[in-house]
Amino acid sequence: MTSSNTRTYKKLFPYFIQAIRGKENNFTTGSIRKAIFMLSIPMILEMMMESIFAIVDIAYVSQVSVNAVATIGLTESVITLVYAVGIGLSMAATAVVARRIGAGNIQGAKEAAVQAIILGVLVAVVVGIVGFLFAKEILMLMGAESALIAEGYGYTQLLLGGNITILLLFLINAIFRGAGNASVAMWTLVLSNGLNIVLDPIFIFGWGPIPEYGVMGAAIATNIGRGSAVLFQLLILLCGWSVIQIKAKDIVIKFKVMLHLVQVSLGGIAQFLIGTSSWIFLMRIMSEFGSEVLAGYTIAIRVMLFTLMPSWGMSNAAATLVGQNLGAKQPERAETSVWKTGKYNAFFMGIVSLVYLIFAYDIVGWFNENTVVVQNGGLCLQIIALGYIFYAYGMVVTQAFNGAGDTGTPTKINLIAFWMFQLPFAYLTAVTFKMGAVGVFIAITAAEVLLAIIAMVWFKKGNWKRIEV
């Protein structure tokens, strides 16, 4: 190690320790580079824990059957649709909490947090009832074969029925991020995914008195792991171990605050409904090519999450920086933070794309030895990796809009990129021109590139600086 590298290491290491301890939560002053580093490190580690779990989960389930893997792909495409409401609410919570923290209004941040949690519970209860009662019908609508439904409906039933654990976990973490407590969000996911990884093989394959549940065991492990993390989050909020402390007297419905959150979240809800519904249509097209092709696609997407999640971590850092700096009346600092974060994210994603382009088939082969599965999964990884640098900027800029409370602009961008371009293009190439799954892969990459270009052009216009939340 050179003396220059040694000096850099000695300079960054204390910041790294400070970041994971969460000693700093206001990022409206000082070095922007340091602010990005302090926020990104816990957020990247948080997202890496999530992506590690996604990889481990699919590795275990791949040992059950091809249908089990396909079940996860179909179920997750549906659950992301119903979570669009929760994700939109999370965007609103992050934007409002960050803006209040930046302005020094802790009480306002606390009120927004409480109302967001109440709304999240209401959504989760409705989704849970519908998902539990109609799991088979949901899989049938997604084009699943009868054998897949018979084997996998229990997974769908439990994951949708217990969705409150997943929804609250990410919603409360969004509150922590807005408050600048990124390290708290990180540690909750360490707990959640650590438990998931340990419990997955126990419930999937059976251990001691616990019977073998197959793919349904993955859902059981998820509910236990994430449910435990939610209890930990609530303990943090109630005991005041973060910037925001909630007391029993604070847990009341405040319709004005709740309505404001709903208004801010509408753009985010529409934004993700557009994005996730397009994903469902893509899965529906993929199901036409059989379970093996669908399984390859599902494995590839899970592998991609391993790198997209850390990238989302940096994007979430941009959202917090934008929200806090706008709250502190520093729009130019907010804009500079976004472009710098995008540059760092693009560098990271560029390296990852090279790895996927070279080793795609080997990576998919670690999870399944079926030739058709490996061929389609590897090809999916390679084609989508071609657009990774564009994804890097697209994710950061989109989250910057959301952090500013301007959820309407990303909604318009998603509408153009996904519904007006991706879906027609995917159907034409895959079905009309008979390119099969390759047509879907190309459509995904082309749409994400288009999204990034439009987002950067509109971001430069600066209308997001004038949004009030």
Side-chain angles (χ1 to χ4, degrees):
M1 182 180 293
T2 66
S3 59
S4 176
N5 288 337
T6 302
R7 286 195 299 271
T8 301
Y9 171 78
K10 288 182 177 179
K11 183 179 179 180
L12 291 178
F13 186 71
Y15 289 156
F16 177 84
I17 298 300
Q18 188 179 351
I20 61 175
R21 285 180 176 175
K23 298 298 183 182
E24 188 172 344
N25 52 65
N26 190 307
F27 301 96
T28 58
T29 59
S31 166
I32 292 177
R33 182 180 297 180
K34 179 186 175 183
I36 294 171
F37 183 85
M38 297 292 289
L39 272 172
S40 293
I41 290 300
M43 289 184 181
I44 289 171
L45 292 175
E46 174 191 352
M47 294 297 105
M48 281 189 70
M49 279 303 302
E50 186 66 14
S51 57
I52 287 171
F53 166 67
I55 291 293
V56 173
D57 190 48
I58 204 69
Y60 285 134
V61 173
S62 292
Q63 298 176 42
V64 177
S65 69
V66 169
N67 277 341
V69 177
T71 297
I72 288 182
L74 292 175
T75 302
E76 288 188 345
S77 65
V78 173
I79 207 166
T80 52
L81 177 62
V82 295
Y83 286 166
V85 177
I87 292 169
L89 189 56
S90 295
M91 288 181 192
T94 296
V96 174
V97 169
R99 192 73 69 94
R100 301 293 179 268
I101 293 294
N105 183 4
I106 303 298
Q107 181 60 32
K110 181 194 298 185
E111 290 178 354
V114 171
Q115 301 313 304
I117 293 171
I118 292 173
L119 281 168
V121 170
L122 294 175
V123 170
V125 169
V126 174
V127 170
I129 293 172
V130 173
F132 188 83
L133 294 177
F134 300 102
K136 290 183 178 180
E137 289 79 3
I138 289 170
L139 287 174
M140 192 179 301
L141 284 173
M142 288 298 297
E145 299 166 354
S146 57
L148 186 152
I149 295 173
E151 180 178 349
Y153 84 92
Y155 173 88
T156 305
Q157 193 174 49
L158 289 183
L159 202 67
L160 289 173
N163 80 94
I164 190 169
T165 62
I166 304 174
L167 187 59
L168 287 186
L169 177 63
F170 288 99
L171 175 58
I172 298 175
N173 269 358
I175 293 168
F176 287 144
R177 291 189 204 102
N181 290 131
S183 65
V184 176
M186 176 193 73
W187 288 115
T188 58
L189 274 193
V190 168
L191 172 62
S192 167
N193 293 329
L195 282 173
N196 278 345
I197 290 169
V198 172
L199 295 175
D200 245 357
I202 294 175
F203 284 99
I204 291 173
F205 306 115
W207 182 73
I210 298 174
E212 179 180 339
Y213 287 101
V215 66
M216 189 171 69
I220 296 173
T222 295
N223 285 337
I224 294 175
R226 299 196 171 178
S228 300
V230 169
L231 293 177
F232 179 58
Q233 287 176 322
L234 295 175
L235 184 65
I236 291 171
L237 289 173
L238 293 172
C239 293
W241 297 341
S242 67
V243 174
I244 296 175
Q245 180 178 11
I246 297 174
K247 298 180 180 179
K249 64 179 182 180
D250 298 317
I251 307 175
V252 293
I253 295 177
K254 295 191 175 182
F255 289 106
K256 185 176 180 180
V257 178
M258 187 177 288
L259 180 61
H260 179 62
L261 274 172
V262 171
Q263 290 172 336
V264 176
S265 69
L266 286 177
I269 293 170
Q271 178 186 150
F272 273 83
L273 277 174
I274 291 168
T276 54
S277 60
S278 69
W279 200 257
I280 286 180
F281 284 120
L282 290 179
M283 289 294 292
R284 184 65 182 85
I285 294 173
M286 290 294 296
S287 69
E288 294 294 319
F289 308 121
S291 292
E292 291 177 326
V293 174
L294 186 60
Y297 176 64
T298 301
I299 291 172
I301 296 302
R302 279 299 185 99
V303 170
M304 284 175 56
L305 285 176
F306 188 77
T307 45
L308 286 177
M309 285 295 187
S311 187
W312 267 110
M314 279 187 266
S315 302
N316 287 333
T320 298
L321 287 169
V322 167
Q324 288 199 2
N325 282 291
L326 287 180
K329 308 300 181 184
Q330 299 182 109
E332 299 311 314
R333 178 181 170 87
E335 183 173 3
T336 302
S337 300
V338 172
W339 290 121
K340 285 191 175 182
T341 306
K343 181 177 69 175
Y344 301 147
N345 203 14
F347 180 75
F348 167 73
M349 293 289 276
I351 294 174
V352 172
S353 67
L354 290 176
V355 174
Y356 284 167
L357 288 171
I358 297 170
F359 301 108
Y361 296 98
D362 296 318
I363 292 171
V364 176
W366 295 341
F367 300 93
N368 198 289
E369 296 179 354
N370 184 296
T371 304
V372 178
V373 172
V374 173
Q375 181 65 31
N376 282 274
L379 192 58
C380 179
L381 271 183
Q382 287 181 325
I383 293 174
I384 293 180
L386 292 173
Y388 256 28
I389 291 178
F390 286 92
Y391 302 172
Y393 275 102
M395 283 188 284
V396 169
V397 174
T398 299
Q399 285 299 88
F401 281 124
N402 292 326
D406 182 11
T407 54
T409 296
T411 301
K412 296 173 186 175
I413 296 171
N414 280 5
L415 184 63
I416 295 169
F418 297 137
W419 279 10
M420 296 177 66
F421 176 78
Q422 186 187 71
L423 291 178
F425 188 76
Y427 186 84
L428 282 172
T429 53
V431 180
T432 305
F433 298 143
K434 302 188 184 301
M435 292 178 65
V438 175
V440 176
F441 305 155
I442 294 173
I444 292 171
T445 302
E448 293 290 352
V449 171
L450 177 63
L451 182 149
I453 293 171
I454 296 173
M456 288 188 285
V457 171
W458 287 3
F459 185 78
K460 285 184 177 180
K461 293 182 179 180
N463 295 332
W464 55 273
K465 298 176 184 177
R466 294 178 284 277
I467 298 293
E468 292 295 331
V469 297

